[in-house]
Amino acid sequence: MDTRTTGHPPDGADGPDGAEDAAARAARRREQRGWYFYDFACSVYSTSVLTVFVGPYLTSVAKAAADPDGFVHPLGIPVRAGSVFPYAVSASLVLAVLLMPLAGAAADRSGRRKPLLALAAYVGAGATAGLFLLDGDRYLLGAGLLIVANAALAVSMALYNAYLPQIAAPHERDAVSSRGWAFGYTSGALVLVLDLVLYTGHESFGLSESEAVRICLASAGLWWGAFTVIPLRRLRDRRLPRAEGAEGAEAAGSGWRQLRATLKDMRRHPLTLAFLLAYLLYNDGVQTVISQASVFGSEELGLDQTTLITAVLLVQVLAVAGALGMGRLARTYGAKRTILASLALWTAILAAGYFLPAGAPVWFYALAAAIGLVLGGSQALSRSLFSHLVPAGKEAEYFAAYEMSDRGVSWLGPLVFGLAYQLTGSYRDAIASLVVFFALGFVLLARVPVRRAVAAAGNPVPERL
């Protein structure tokens, strides 16, 4: 029997006799290490660009273009300058919804994920490097490049995540996924240190503050592109057998038709779909907190850019420990229970954020530390848990749907955040509006019988879930 049809362990994984060829094991470890490096490459975008610099800077550029009432008018539509950034993030993720199912199905049909991964990665890296041109009142240019970069990141991550079931045996996935996140947070911390040196010492380098920010934005794109070479050299494509019902997905001719085909197939695996719905909600809250934290800190709390950079650096350092620590907790208590505990902590963090006093960096640092401890673990364990719920031969297609929950459908959170600010003019009200995503996500995840879901997908059930 082909083991891939009953759980698709990676090449060289332990067989029925428990034996594993040493060369195959070494090749698998090498491929895993290459896989980690895509997190190392692209996480700098998520950290330096999306979390730290582009939100406050694009907001300042939009304000420079605003009328006396504080509104800009793209396509004649009045929009608060402070809402341009969350709306751009939301628009980028709507675009990702159109692209990810098509990319996932193409990867599954051809078995060639690497060319698609390379295309998405380098489009995103190029758009990010192009943010160097964001200056003056060119907020539409900045919003457009942000939309392209963010959508490309989402597509590339869907393809990247789909490798996890192929390169790690079921018992390894929590650890492998957590190490990937740890690699990403390590690179984010390293580049943030360099950004902090450049930004705080920009005058000694003969740069204006704006030029320093633009260099930090562009360098993230260069880093992303440069380190993407490593996974492209080490990962290898596999032609996997298609699962029953794949024909409808193959016939899809557009992103929306592909999405409908994938969701139709998922109806055959309702417990997998139930997990995705829960993840959609709580991760929407996570992604929105990540992307809007710097705007909240600068606009509502009056904190300077140096404080924001060091706070996010603190998040990166603690997120490495958090991802690895929660991975170990999952080995004792199971991934589901560990994720549920993290969601309770996320809710408490948002409640504390609402009451943070303005102009008090120490409390912002305390909040950043709490975020760091739960951020990486909740994301890494969700990814590894989902990998057990994917039917054989459908990895890229299902991970495209997963990535829509991770980023592609996460336009809801930024949209809610932007509308809350549009209506109230208060970032505190905007941040409080995100509690509902964590609360509903907790309730839905708690109701998913994950062991039964793994078995229903045709995969071996790990001892601890």
Side-chain angles (χ1 to χ4, degrees), residues 61-195:
V61 171
K63 286 183 175 180
D67 63 22
D69 295 323
F71 286 83
V72 292
H73 299 269
L75 303 176
I77 302 171
V79 175
R80 280 188 188 270
S83 292
V84 168
F85 173 61
Y87 286 164
V89 173
S90 184
S92 72
L93 299 174
V94 171
L95 176 61
V97 169
L98 297 172
L99 297 176
M100 285 191 294
L102 191 59
D108 280 335
R109 285 199 303 271
S110 66
R112 291 175 57 80
R113 293 192 180 97
K114 281 206 296 185
L116 294 169
L117 175 61
L119 176 62
Y122 285 109
V123 167
T128 304
L131 287 170
F132 182 79
L133 302 175
L134 178 58
D135 197 14
D137 59 359
R138 291 185 282 186
Y139 74 96
L140 285 176
L141 172 65
L145 290 171
L146 175 62
I147 288 170
V148 172
N150 221 36
L153 177 68
V155 172
S156 73
M157 287 301 294
L159 298 164
Y160 162 74
N161 286 337
Y163 278 100
L164 181 59
Q166 297 180 357
I167 65 172
H171 68 277
E172 295 179 304
R173 290 182 199 162
D174 286 347
V176 170
S177 183
S178 295
R179 289 188 198 112
W181 282 108
F183 263 61
Y185 288 121
T186 299
S187 73
L190 174 60
V191 173
L192 270 182
V193 169
L194 300 176
D195 289 342

Side-chain angles (χ1 to χ4, degrees), residues 273-288:
L273 184 58
F275 173 84
L276 269 179
L277 291 175
Y279 182 70
L280 182 155
L281 285 169
Y282 72 75
N283 192 65
D284 206 340
V286 172
Q287 295 296 327
T288 307

Side-chain angles (χ1 to χ4, degrees), residues 16-372:
D17 60 358
E20 182 181 15
D21 180 80
R25 183 168 58 249
R28 187 170 93 248
R29 299 302 185 201
R30 182 178 186 275
E31 197 169 8
Q32 288 174 359
R33 288 191 292 271
W35 186 81
Y36 300 150
F37 266 95
Y38 191 68
D39 261 318
F40 191 86
C42 70
S43 291
V44 171
Y45 167 84
S46 299
T47 303
S48 293
V49 177
L50 196 61
T51 304
V52 176
F53 287 109
V54 78
Y57 187 63
L58 180 56
T59 300
S60 69
V61 171
K63 286 183 175 180
D67 63 22
D69 295 323
F71 286 83
V72 292
H73 299 269
L75 303 176
I77 302 171
V79 175
R80 280 188 188 270
S83 292
V84 168
F85 173 61
Y87 286 164
V89 173
S90 184
S92 72
L93 299 174
V94 171
L95 176 61
V97 169
L98 297 172
L99 297 176
M100 285 191 294
L102 191 59
D108 280 335
R109 285 199 303 271
S110 66
R112 291 175 57 80
R113 293 192 180 97
K114 281 206 296 185
L116 294 169
L117 175 61
L119 176 62
Y122 285 109
V123 167
T128 304
L131 287 170
F132 182 79
L133 302 175
L134 178 58
D135 197 14
D137 59 359
R138 291 185 282 186
Y139 74 96
L140 285 176
L141 172 65
L145 290 171
L146 175 62
I147 288 170
V148 172
N150 221 36
L153 177 68
V155 172
S156 73
M157 287 301 294
L159 298 164
Y160 162 74
N161 286 337
Y163 278 100
L164 181 59
Q166 297 180 357
I167 65 172
H171 68 277
E172 295 179 304
R173 290 182 199 162
D174 286 347
V176 170
S177 183
S178 295
R179 289 188 198 112
W181 282 108
F183 263 61
Y185 288 121
T186 299
S187 73
L190 174 60
V191 173
L192 270 182
V193 169
L194 300 176
D195 289 342
L196 182 61
V197 171
L198 179 63
Y199 180 80
T200 57
H202 63 268
E203 291 182 352
S204 62
F205 292 106
L207 301 171
S208 67
E209 182 177 340
S210 172
E211 289 171 336
V213 170
R214 289 158 52 208
I215 290 173
C216 291
L217 293 172
S219 63
L222 298 177
W223 180 285
W224 183 359
F227 283 99
T228 294
V229 171
I230 298 175
L232 292 179
R233 288 179 62 88
R234 293 195 175 186
L235 291 172
R236 61 188 181 88
D237 286 329
R238 300 159 173 85
R239 178 75 182 188
L240 290 180
R242 297 289 290 158
E244 180 182 353
E247 291 80 4
E250 291 182 2
S254 70
W256 283 111
R257 287 172 60 197
Q258 178 62 71
L259 174 59
R260 288 196 299 270
T262 302
L263 293 178
K264 183 178 179 180
D265 184 76
M266 280 188 177
R267 291 170 60 185
R268 300 170 54 244
H269 303 282
L271 298 180
T272 299
L273 184 58
F275 173 84
L276 269 179
L277 291 175
Y279 182 70
L280 182 155
L281 285 169
Y282 72 75
N283 192 65
D284 206 340
V286 172
Q287 295 296 327
T288 307
V289 171
I290 293 170
S291 66
Q292 306 302 322
S294 288
V295 174
F296 176 74
S298 63
E299 299 295 322
E300 185 69 36
L301 303 182
L303 303 176
D304 58 35
Q305 191 73 60
T306 300
T307 299
L308 298 177
I309 296 172
T310 52
V312 174
L313 179 60
L314 178 63
V315 170
Q316 299 302 299
V317 172
L318 291 178
V320 174
L324 298 177
M326 288 182 67
R328 292 185 177 182
L329 286 175
R331 289 201 291 270
T332 302
Y333 300 103
K336 178 183 172 180
R337 290 182 180 178
T338 307
I339 294 169
L340 288 172
S342 76
L343 297 183
L345 290 174
W346 272 111
T347 303
I349 287 168
L350 284 182
Y354 181 84
F355 294 103
L356 279 186
V362 64
W363 291 110
F364 192 72
Y365 286 139
L367 197 69
I371 289 174

Side-chain angles (χ1 to χ4, degrees), residues 297-459:
S298 63
E299 299 295 322
E300 185 69 36
L301 303 182
L303 303 176
D304 58 35
Q305 191 73 60
T306 300
T307 299
L308 298 177
I309 296 172
T310 52
V312 174
L313 179 60
L314 178 63
V315 170
Q316 299 302 299
V317 172
L318 291 178
V320 174
L324 298 177
M326 288 182 67
R328 292 185 177 182
L329 286 175
R331 289 201 291 270
T332 302
Y333 300 103
K336 178 183 172 180
R337 290 182 180 178
T338 307
I339 294 169
L340 288 172
S342 76
L343 297 183
L345 290 174
W346 272 111
T347 303
I349 287 168
L350 284 182
Y354 181 84
F355 294 103
L356 279 186
V362 64
W363 291 110
F364 192 72
Y365 286 139
L367 197 69
I371 289 174
L373 290 174
V374 296
L375 174 60
S378 60
Q379 293 177 316
L381 293 177
S382 296
R383 178 169 65 184
S384 61
L385 181 56
F386 181 72
S387 74
H388 294 289
L389 311 181
V390 179
K394 308 278 285 192
E395 289 85 1
E397 185 179 331
Y398 271 56
F399 266 106
Y402 174 88
E403 192 64 21
M404 278 185 277
S405 298
D406 192 359
R407 288 180 174 86
V409 187
S410 292
W411 57 270
L412 290 170
L415 180 61
V416 168
F417 187 94
L419 286 173
Y421 179 76
Q422 177 94 2
L423 295 173
T424 68
S426 168
Y427 283 105
R428 293 184 188 273
D429 292 336
I431 208 75
S433 70
L434 303 178
V435 169
V436 66
F437 291 96
F438 293 100
L440 290 178
F442 182 98
V443 171
L444 291 179
L445 178 61
R447 295 172 60 88
V448 177
V450 291
R451 299 186 70 83
R452 188 146 51 92
V454 174
N459 297 325

Side-chain angles (χ1 to χ4, degrees), residues 1 3 13-20:
M1 177 185 295
T3 57
D14 291 352
D17 60 358
E20 182 181 15

